[in-house]
Amino acid sequence: VPPKLLKLLELVGLQGDTQEGLKALAQGVEFDGLRSPFCAQAILAYETAFKFHLDPYNMNLEVVDDITSKYLERHPVCVSFQFFAGRAQVLRRNLPAARKTFENCIMLQNEWVTMHHTCWFELMWVSSLEQKWTEAAEYAERLFGASNWSKTSYLYLLAAFRHAQFVDSDPSRKYASNPNITTLFKDVKEYQIRVAGKRLQIEKYCVRKARSFKNQNNFLFLPALEAMYIWGIFSLLDEATAKIFIQKCDDRLVNGITDVQLCPDDRGLGHLMIGVLWKHCYLLTRNDSDDTSIGSYIQKAEDSLILSLSYEKQIALDHFITGWGNYEMAELYWLKGDNKKAMEYLKACKKVSSKVKYSLESRVMFKVHNLTERVKNQEEKRLEN
């Protein structure tokens, strides 16, 4: 937790660290009683949701399996444990099994409508991972109609998936000719909400991208893939699909699209996504000693991210590309064992935030804090040894 937030938590009496908390929850699960299911669900939420956004490549899914199998054996129709079992399948990239589990979770009950919405949200991303854009759009449309959490986000995702569906049918077409997509992007700003007087960061991002669509003569650079990156879905791709997405980005950068001149924002974004996808391929295969392409993956990731950052001074609107690009470079150098370079890029990321405000800044700053702590802990252990 960032230091400022930690001080606030300590002020209201919440102290301790993550491992101590998990240990206490595990003890609560062992002692069967009234609190056991609540302790179990707290652990499952941490392992399948919170930890996923911090370190998606080091998940403790064995714990998730043990808890879900234990409680589903006792309560086979408990939708919350069914949901977490589905999340575990998603994290294993076993998408057909995940889809079946979420659909079963929906059919088990009709009273808890929020659980239906949560399952639709997961099924939307499962469909996008399978490149079933029509199904992904249908789930986004359901969420837009039924859920009040963030209609702005759901409408933007609906437009992005409709775009992917349209472009896949003919990659050379400029989809401004599709009036439905144009109308969806136009209406995104109409549904913004305020929480405690402030607009949600993810909604600000969606509104800015919808505005860019209009300003760029009804064009965005592969918005469905960008949304998957922003929502952290790239880390759930299998290697084959990641390479398909790399090819999509590369084709768009090389061949462009009819009547559209790609701006530095588009090119910076394209190379950023390619770099992240190559890094993902490296992380998927780094423990495979028989894979001779591992070294090339990490080099391709570095080359693409450097190319993305080279557009920093030319970017007009999407400054998050530079902020997120610096973070991705920092993580890449940390993976290579070069902590000095990693810290340089983490500082560069913070410097971007001091110069300009950009979309989802707090989200990347949370990642920066987490990676900084991991680098420091690694250096401390190295000095001790």
Side-chain angles (χ1 to χ4, degrees):
V1 177
K4 290 182 180 178
L5 181 55
L6 187 60
K7 288 179 181 178
L8 179 62
L9 293 173
E10 289 175 346
L11 186 66
V12 295
L14 298 174
Q15 299 184 27
D17 60 35
T18 304
Q19 295 307 316
E20 284 297 317
L22 290 172
K23 185 179 178 181
L25 288 169
Q27 289 173 343
V29 174
E30 289 177 11
F31 297 109
D32 285 338
L34 186 62
R35 298 182 182 86
S36 296
F38 298 104
C39 293
Q41 291 181 69
I43 292 175
L44 292 173
Y46 173 78
E47 293 291 349
T48 64
F50 183 77
K51 192 176 178 181
F52 165 71
H53 291 289
L54 293 179
D55 193 4
Y57 300 96
N58 290 297
M59 310 294 293
N60 193 355
L61 296 179
E62 290 76 14
V63 170
V64 177
D65 290 340
D66 290 343
I67 293 175
T68 52
S69 60
K70 173 184 175 180
Y71 282 93
L72 284 174
E73 188 176 342
R74 297 178 184 177
H75 314 288
V77 294
C78 179
V79 290
S80 57
F81 288 110
Q82 285 275 359
F83 171 79
F84 287 122
R87 277 292 297 169
Q89 295 293 355
V90 170
L91 295 171
R92 283 197 171 89
R93 302 174 184 85
N94 189 353
L95 301 181
R99 179 184 292 277
K100 185 177 180 180
T101 304
F102 289 131
E103 288 174 348
N104 184 53
C105 190
I106 292 169
M107 290 188 293
L108 282 173
Q109 57 85 39
N110 292 313
E111 292 77 18
W112 190 10
V113 179
T114 303
M115 179 56 76
H116 286 196
H117 300 168
T118 308
C119 290
W120 290 345
F121 188 77
E122 294 294 332
L123 286 165
M124 177 185 70
W125 291 122
V126 167
S127 299
S128 70
L129 288 164
E130 295 174 327
Q131 300 179 77
K132 296 178 179 178
W133 306 118
T134 303
E135 286 186 17
E138 287 173 358
Y139 283 117
E141 191 168 18
R142 284 191 202 179
L143 287 163
F144 173 72
S147 175
N148 291 321
W149 175 73
S150 177
K151 289 186 180 294
T152 293
S153 301
Y154 297 140
L155 189 60
Y156 176 78
L157 289 169
L158 172 59
F161 293 137
R162 290 285 185 223
H163 153 262
Q165 178 186 354
F166 187 74
V167 168
D168 275 7
S169 62
D170 184 354
S172 66
R173 283 193 297 183
K174 181 182 176 184
Y175 60 89
S177 59
N178 187 314
N180 293 330
I181 294 173
T182 305
T183 302
L184 289 172
F185 278 118
K186 181 182 177 182
D187 291 344
V188 165
K189 66 179 184 297
E190 303 297 331
Y191 297 92
Q192 292 182 88
I193 60 174
R194 290 181 182 271
V195 177
K198 294 187 177 181
R199 299 199 184 279
L200 300 176
Q201 280 213 359
I202 193 66
E203 290 197 346
K204 287 182 180 180
Y205 161 79
C206 293
V207 170
R208 285 172 183 168
K209 295 303 294 187
R211 190 185 304 134
S212 295
F213 174 81
K214 180 182 178 181
N215 294 340
Q216 293 177 194
N217 193 23
N218 294 353
F219 172 78
L220 285 177
F221 187 95
L222 300 177
L225 268 60
E226 181 184 351
M228 292 178 73
Y229 169 56
I230 291 298
W231 261 272
I233 307 302
F234 273 6
S235 59
L236 298 173
L237 291 165
D238 58 38
E239 187 180 356
T241 308
K243 289 180 178 179
I244 291 172
F245 284 2
I246 289 170
Q247 191 62 50
K248 284 178 181 287
C249 293
D250 198 47
D251 287 346
R252 182 56 54 89
L253 287 169
V254 173
N255 301 322
I257 196 167
T258 306
D259 299 329
V260 172
Q261 182 68 39
L262 294 181
C263 66
D265 298 50
D266 297 324
R267 296 193 177 278
L269 175 61
H271 289 298
L272 171 62
M273 291 197 292
I274 290 173
V276 173
L277 288 164
W278 279 125
K279 177 164 69 74
H280 173 63
C281 289
Y282 164 74
L283 286 164
L284 288 178
T285 57
R286 59 179 168 174
N287 296 322
D288 187 356
S289 57
D290 296 329
D291 195 335
T292 57
S293 59
I294 295 174
S296 67
Y297 287 168
I298 201 165
Q299 187 58 54
K300 288 176 180 177
E302 184 176 353
D303 293 344
S304 296
L305 291 172
I306 288 173
L307 198 51
S308 174
L309 290 172
S310 69
Y311 290 97
E312 178 179 4
K313 294 182 179 179
Q314 303 172 52
I315 287 175
L317 297 172
D318 292 332
H319 296 285
F320 80 91
I321 295 168
T322 306
W324 285 62
N326 276 297
Y327 168 77
E328 298 292 354
M329 280 294 285
E331 188 176 50
L332 189 68
Y333 276 109
W334 177 69
L335 290 168
K336 292 171 69 173
D338 192 340
N339 288 342
K340 184 179 179 181
K341 272 281 191 182
M343 289 302 294
E344 287 178 8
Y345 278 101
L346 287 171
K347 289 177 182 176
C349 187
K350 293 177 182 177
K351 189 175 180 181
V352 173
S353 296
S354 67
K355 291 192 296 184
V356 61
K357 297 294 180 183
Y358 56 87
S359 299
L360 305 173
E361 181 182 348
S362 63
R363 186 175 295 191
V364 76
M365 284 297 105
F366 194 81
K367 288 176 173 284
V368 166
H369 168 76
N370 181 257
L371 183 56
T372 301
E373 291 301 308
R374 282 191 280 176
V375 171
K376 287 180 179 177
N377 291 337
Q378 198 174 68
E379 284 296 296
E380 288 174 2
K381 289 179 181 178
R382 184 180 66 82
L383 290 172
E384 286 175 5
N385 294 332

